[in-house]
Amino acid sequence: QVQLVESGGGLVQPGGSLRLSCVASGSISSINGMGWYRQAPGKQRELVAVITSGGSTNYADSVKGRFTISRDNAKNTVYLQMNSLKPEDTAVYYCNLYGRTRSYFPLTEYWGQGTQVTVSS
């Protein structure tokens, strides 16, 4: 079993910053990657940023240069630093883990409950 708990969401003015945190707990054999996704009302869930087991990162074009994903392996935590926030960034942000709880289990995606980010004056 794997649990992902997000925190750090809230209301911020355009141009402001927020830092989201996601703490993973439970039995984890291996992690291929962790990331952040978001979903706005009436829209599909979309990739925001991911970081692989090798440390490489990938960002959506819409957030590149403004958002930074990082991790603290000792704390099983992944962060998303969001700067220069825009109203278009308003969405529920979900933490994602892609990995195995056992070496012989299939690769599985795990999701957090989501945290609301609202960018508004």
Side-chain angles (χ1 to χ4, degrees):
Q1 57 182 356
V2 177
Q3 293 181 340
L4 303 175
V5 180
E6 303 102 329
S7 62
L11 175 64
V12 65
Q13 294 183 347
S17 298
L18 285 174
R19 188 179 74 164
L20 306 183
S21 299
C22 174
V23 180
S25 62
S27 299
I28 303 173
S29 177
S30 62
I31 299 174
N32 281 40
M34 295 186 69
W36 291 93
Y37 293 73
R38 67 186 181 187
Q39 187 168 25
K43 298 182 179 180
Q44 296 180 343
R45 186 174 298 186
E46 64 176 351
L47 167 72
V48 177
V50 295
I51 183 165
T52 70
S53 60
S56 63
T57 58
N58 190 27
Y59 297 91
D61 289 339
S62 60
V63 308
K64 190 173 297 184
R66 299 187 297 121
F67 291 10
T68 303
I69 188 170
S70 61
R71 64 185 181 184
D72 186 336
N73 291 335
K75 297 181 179 180
N76 292 324
T77 302
V78 63
Y79 304 95
L80 184 68
Q81 179 67 46
M82 304 184 295
N83 298 325
S84 302
L85 283 162
K86 305 174 181 179
E88 308 93 89
D89 297 317
T90 296
V92 177
Y93 284 70
Y94 296 91
C95 180
N96 167 270
L97 184 153
Y98 189 55
R100 292 181 167 92
T101 56
R102 296 288 190 276
S103 62
Y104 48 87
F105 280 10
L107 285 167
T108 305
E109 282 191 313
Y110 300 91
W111 297 92
Q113 82 288 346
T115 184
Q116 177 71 47
V117 172
T118 302
V119 184
S120 178
S121 299

